[in-house]
């Protein structure tokens, strides 16, 4: 299912064929459409449309173009609009120094006033930013840690700014501009941004994507934006749709949460969600937060952990995948017997296997389990995280002796598998060069740096 997070359907350009526009959106599998307001009048229009159509949600707010007569008394009206159950954000608000239809002091005041309102109502904001990057960054940084959640709509800024916004837990939203012929720099930015932080939109009736550029835009065209996004990240349309739609649902609090996923495809591999339980508590792990990956929920209670037969049924023919990977938001060796049973099925059916682990399997199972990997596990990937025992213990919140246990596990596993890889997260204060030398020279296995987001 697809989601268009920004479509001005109250615009007069839709007055003659509104029903057909919605029908075409439904035919393209759109599940939700968010209509962002630009002033008080359009806030009310957006709400009326949201009342008529279950798939439509609205925002309330005043666009920077319309802040020349900004009056803080308008906040009361916006707050009243925001009390409607189908209003999911304050917006479209922000700064626009390109057209400069409103004096900068008025824009800045209106922007801050509406951010404060959003914070008081615990609502996200939809942000417009054009030729105002410095002031925008200064304002957004001033709210860092406040709980502000922002969607930077129709993003056309630098990768550095995008990553700064992501670091402050905001979302980046792309529209038809990523399909334009001269948008190579923007497409490179799209490629570099983790999809967990991305949403898609049309900005209808504007920003029509190729090949319909020059014509009126509409929500059905979000499919073309999504297609470009999927190509840039080398994933399927289905995967891109899952990720961006779930991002939108969570950000705007629309719809129901995604059900638990036992297996999940990533690129050409199939990953097996064994457990959420772990003997460690890494400071960079999202296990206790949303436990999401690529739009799928991996959050699992102990009572929900399935038997091996469930995994085997969902795997089907393992040769369809490059490998079967035991990896979720937990330590798979906690359910080592289940891992072995599933791995035996995969190997007997001609598939390949990989175990992603923290290397504490022998401690957890109170025996050396590495001989049991023989002919079951092809590759063992272990989270090294640091070559310093103290830092390792602090990062993973485990006793320092677990570092020695992990190194021992890696050396023992070499004798029973095809490959052992020790990895570190690309995290501040971790000496990656020292880690590579330690892994390749002292432990004698392969080394990898995995991204931190």
């Amino acid at each position: 299912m697809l989601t268009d997070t920004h479509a001005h359907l109250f615009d007069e350009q839709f007055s003659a064929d509104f029903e057909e526009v919605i029908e075409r959106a439904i035919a393209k599998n759109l599940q939700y459409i968010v209509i962002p307001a630009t002033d008080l009048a359009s806030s009310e229009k957006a709400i009326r449309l949201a009342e008529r159509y279950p798939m439509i949600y609205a925002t309330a707010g005043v666009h920077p173009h319309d802040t020349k007569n900004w009056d803080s008394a308008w906040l009361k009206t916006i707050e009243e609009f925001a009390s409607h159950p189908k209003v999911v954000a304050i917006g479209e608000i922000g700064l626009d120094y390109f057209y400069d239809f409103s004096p900068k002091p008025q824009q800045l005041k209106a922007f801050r006033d509406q951010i404060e309102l959003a914070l008081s109502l615990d609502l996200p904001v939809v942000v417009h930013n054009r030729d105002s990057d410095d002031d925008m960054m200064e304002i957004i940084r001033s709210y860092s840690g406040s709980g502000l959640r922002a969607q930077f709509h129709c993003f056309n800024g630098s990768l550095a700014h995008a990553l700064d916004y992501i670091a402050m837990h905001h979302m980046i939203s792309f529209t038809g501009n990523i399909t334009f012929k001269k948008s190579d720099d923007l497409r490179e930015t799209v490629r570099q941004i983790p999809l967990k932080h991305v949403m898609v939109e049309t900005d209808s009736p504007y920003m029509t994507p190729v090949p319909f550029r020059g014509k009126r835009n509409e929500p059905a065209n979000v499919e073309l934006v999504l297609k470009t996004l999927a190509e840039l990240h080398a994933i399927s349309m289905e995967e891109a749709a899952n990720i961006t739609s779930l991002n939108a649902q969570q950000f705007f609090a629309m719809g129901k949460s995604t059900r638990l996923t036992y297996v999940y495809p990533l690129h050409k591999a199939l990953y097996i969600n064994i457990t959420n339980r772990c003997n460690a508590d890494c400071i960079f792990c999202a296990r206790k937060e949303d436990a999401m990956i690529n739009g799928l929920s991996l959050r699992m209670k102990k009572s929900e952990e399935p038997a091996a037969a469930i995994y085997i049924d969902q795997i089907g023919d393992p040769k369809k995948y490059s490998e079967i990977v035991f990896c979720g938001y937990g330590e798979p060796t906690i359910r080592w017997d289940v891992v072995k049973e599933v791995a035996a099925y995969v190997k007997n059916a001609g598939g390949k296997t990989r175990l992603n682990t923290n290397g504490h399997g022998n401690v957890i199972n109170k025996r050396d389990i590495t001989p049991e990997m023989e002919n079951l596990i092809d590759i063992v990937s272990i989270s090294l995280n640091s070559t310093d025992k103290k830092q390792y213990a602090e990062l993973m919140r485990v006793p320092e002796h677990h570092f020695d246990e992990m190194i021992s596990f890696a050396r023992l596993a070499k004798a029973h598998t095809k490959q052992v890889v020790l990895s570190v997260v690309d995290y501040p204060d971790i000496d990656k060069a020292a880690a590579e030398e330690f892994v390749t020279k002292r432990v004698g296995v392969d080394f990898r740096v995995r991204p931190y987001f």
Side-chain angles (χ1 to χ4, degrees), residues 120-313:
S120 70
L121 300 176
D122 193 25
L123 286 174
V125 295
V126 177
V127 175
H128 174 102
N129 173 28
R130 189 168 186 186
D131 283 13
S132 53
D133 289 346
D134 291 343
D135 283 356
M136 179 61 68
M137 184 60 73
E138 181 181 350
I139 290 172
I140 297 302
R141 279 179 175 156
S142 73
Y143 284 97
S144 181
S146 68
L148 178 66
R149 294 167 290 140
Q151 175 199 25
F152 286 88
H153 117 86
C154 193
F155 188 82
N156 195 33
S158 68
L159 174 61
H161 276 190
L163 295 178
D164 281 347
Y165 290 137
I166 287 171
M168 291 184 278
H169 308 293
H170 302 307
M171 302 294 290
I172 308 298
S173 186
F174 296 105
T175 185
N177 56 353
I178 68 172
T179 72
F180 296 171
K181 185 178 180 179
K182 296 182 178 180
S183 293
D184 288 339
D185 289 345
L186 181 60
R187 279 188 285 274
E188 184 57 31
T189 294
V190 175
R191 189 180 285 110
Q192 296 294 328
I193 296 177
L195 290 179
K196 182 178 180 179
H197 305 278
V198 171
M199 292 189 278
V200 291
E201 59 173 279
T202 59
D203 199 14
S204 299
Y206 319 108
M207 303 300 293
T208 310
V210 174
F212 303 121
R213 193 174 183 187
K215 300 179 180 179
R216 183 198 69 179
N217 202 4
E218 62 179 70
N221 289 335
V222 78
E223 179 185 58
L224 298 170
V225 181
L226 194 72
K227 181 176 183 292
T228 299
L229 182 77
E231 290 171 351
L232 290 170
H233 280 267
I235 61 174
S236 68
M237 282 279 287
E238 180 182 7
E239 193 173 347
N242 279 344
I243 298 166
T244 56
S245 290
L246 184 68
N247 289 346
Q249 290 174 43
Q250 292 182 319
F251 182 82
F252 291 112
M254 302 182 298
K256 298 179 180 179
S257 60
T258 304
R259 67 181 179 179
L260 171 63
T261 299
Y262 293 138
V263 302
Y264 56 104
L266 280 182
H267 303 296
K268 296 181 180 180
L270 186 70
Y271 283 65
I272 310 300
N273 182 20
I274 290 289
T275 183
N276 273 186
R277 291 182 285 153
C278 191
N279 67 306
D281 186 20
C282 300
I283 62 175
F284 40 73
C285 180
R287 180 169 58 94
K288 292 183 178 179
E289 298 172 11
D290 57 8
M292 305 295 300
I293 188 163
N294 284 11
L296 302 171
S297 173
L298 273 62
R299 184 174 294 282
M300 183 194 303
K301 299 177 183 176
K302 182 179 179 180
S303 60
E304 296 173 319
E305 295 174 346
I310 301 296
Y311 295 116
I312 291 170
D313 181 65

Side-chain angles (χ1 to χ4, degrees), residues 311-328:
Y311 295 116
I312 291 170
D313 181 65
Q314 293 196 16
I315 291 170
D317 181 4
K319 296 191 297 297
K320 294 187 300 183
Y321 308 99
S322 60
E323 58 183 343
I324 305 299
V325 185
F326 298 96
C327 177

Side-chain angles (χ1 to χ4, degrees), residues 378-445:
D378 294 313
I379 300 173
V380 177
S381 183
I382 303 172
S383 302
L384 170 66
N385 294 324
S386 175
T387 58
D388 179 83
K389 286 185 182 182
K390 183 177 181 181
Q391 185 183 47
Y392 177 88
E394 290 172 349
L395 287 171
M396 300 185 70
R397 299 189 179 107
V398 295
E400 287 188 21
H401 73 84
H402 278 53
F403 176 85
D404 297 320
E405 294 286 353
M406 176 267 299
I407 296 300
S408 173
F409 185 87
R411 287 171 172 152
L412 291 167
K414 281 175 59 180
H416 305 287
T417 61
K418 295 178 180 178
Q419 184 183 20
V420 175
V421 181
L422 284 178
S423 66
V424 296
V425 174
D426 191 2
Y427 189 76
D429 301 327
I430 292 178
D431 189 336
K432 293 177 283 294
E436 181 173 12
E437 183 176 0
F438 176 85
V439 169
T440 57
K441 300 290 179 60
R442 295 183 56 185
V443 186
V445 300

Side-chain angles (χ1 to χ4, degrees), residues 331-342:
E331 169 51 43
T333 60
I334 287 176
R335 302 186 71 208
W336 179 234
D337 288 342
V338 172
V339 171
K340 288 194 296 181
E341 186 174 347
V342 175

